Amino acid sequence: MKGRNPAAVSELTYTADEMMTVAAARALRDGMTCFVGIGLPSAAANLARATHAPGLVLIYESGTIGAKPAELPLSIGDGILAETADAVVSVPEIFNYWLQPGRIDVGFLGAAQIDKFGNINTPVIGGDYEHPRVRLPGAGGAPEIAASCREVIVVVRQTSRSFVERVDFVTSVGYGSGPGDRERLGLTGAGPKKIITDLGVLEPDPVTLEFTLTGLFPGVSAAAAKERTGWDLAVAPEPEIIAGPGPAELQALRNLHAGTSSATS
């Protein structure tokens, strides 16, 4: 895979996950500090650093600052992060010195459920907290990331089960129930600025803060996005049609995944 000509990458065919990852990577700017989660957020952040944002500073919860992995890490404890980092500090320092004082430009988060105000649920689905229908691994550092980063980008596949009118449990606060809630709760970060899905991009309405569909990926209709949303999704008058991945983006992303595959084989 690493030796292939970028111009010949599958004749520019790509998957929905690849489109989503590329769109998330494009949202990052060179020179930013980015708090990265494992999975799609990590793939997007590393893709950005490998393409248009070589000065992007990747910070992982395990304490690595300025990690530069050549392949995707398997977890926040993957040795490749420490081996390639500018510095390795303690977990309390990451949170107390870097995250909570607002020194991180952008946090990348995933979600099991997300609602129209960008509130995230990751530990339990259905029932109550003590007796849920499904219990998930939990939040980790996500609540602090959502509270304190200068902005947050959420990367999540869009289904009516994950995009719900009201989350079963609020793990990480987006905009609560609307304008004023973050301020009332004393949250210092600006909150979620984008939800990037496998269908397109949602952004908060400047007045109501309800997430609105503002961009669509090639071949996706607003009707399809509404059908896969558990609330009456608002749609911008003219959603942007977001360009598909370019050859260099696809090649770089597949190289990252190929390195991970060979390391686990």
Side-chain angles (χ1 to χ4, degrees):
M1 182 70 72
K2 292 183 179 180
R4 293 181 63 178
N5 180 353
V9 177
S10 298
E11 297 181 352
L12 293 186
T13 59
Y14 52 87
T15 68
D17 274 6
E18 286 175 331
M19 178 72 241
M20 176 167 51
T21 306
V22 167
R26 291 171 181 169
L28 298 173
R29 301 182 298 277
D30 200 22
M32 276 183 151
T33 53
C34 180
F35 207 112
V36 189
I38 293 300
L40 285 169
S42 181
N46 280 286
L47 175 61
R49 195 185 62 79
T51 52
H52 66 277
L56 184 68
V57 179
L58 305 187
I59 298 177
Y60 286 82
E61 187 177 334
S62 52
T64 56
I65 299 172
K68 304 171 188 66
E71 59 199 44
L72 296 181
L74 299 176
S75 73
I76 59 170
D78 195 321
I80 194 173
L81 296 178
E83 291 165 5
T84 60
D86 295 329
V88 180
V89 301
S90 68
V91 173
E93 182 175 333
I94 283 288
F95 282 88
N96 295 339
Y97 182 79
W98 290 96
L99 184 58
Q100 291 169 339
R103 292 186 168 96
I104 307 297
D105 292 317
V106 61
F108 254 145
L109 292 176
Q113 285 183 330
I114 192 164
D115 65 25
K116 64 183 177 182
F117 289 114
N119 302 301
I120 291 172
N121 170 31
T122 49
V124 292
I125 303 293
D128 59 31
Y129 187 82
E130 296 299 330
H131 304 93
R133 187 172 71 250
V134 179
R135 188 174 296 280
L136 301 168
E144 291 293 339
I145 295 169
S148 304
C149 283
R150 292 174 185 165
E151 64 179 90
V152 170
I153 298 172
V154 183
V155 186
V156 57
R157 297 177 184 90
Q158 190 163 348
T159 71
S160 57
R161 290 186 298 176
S162 57
F163 278 61
V164 295
E165 179 76 27
R166 183 182 179 88
V167 293
D168 293 337
F169 184 87
V170 178
T171 305
S172 307
V173 179
Y175 297 110
S177 58
D181 271 10
R182 288 188 68 86
E183 294 77 7
R184 178 178 60 81
L185 294 168
L187 305 182
T188 55
K193 295 299 182 183
K194 291 180 187 290
I195 301 173
I196 298 175
T197 81
D198 49 344
L199 302 179
V201 176
L202 289 75
E203 297 176 285
D205 180 271
V207 176
T208 68
L209 298 180
E210 180 177 331
F211 271 87
T212 300
L213 183 70
T214 59
L216 288 165
F217 296 152
V220 178
S221 68
K226 288 176 74 71
E227 184 178 325
R228 286 166 61 175
T229 305
W231 70 86
D232 185 12
L233 178 64
V235 179
E238 294 184 12
E240 175 190 4
I241 303 302
I242 299 166
E249 291 171 316
L250 276 181
Q251 183 71 23
L253 178 58
R254 292 175 183 178
N255 284 347
L256 286 167
H257 282 291
T260 303
S261 299
S262 61
T264 58
S265 61

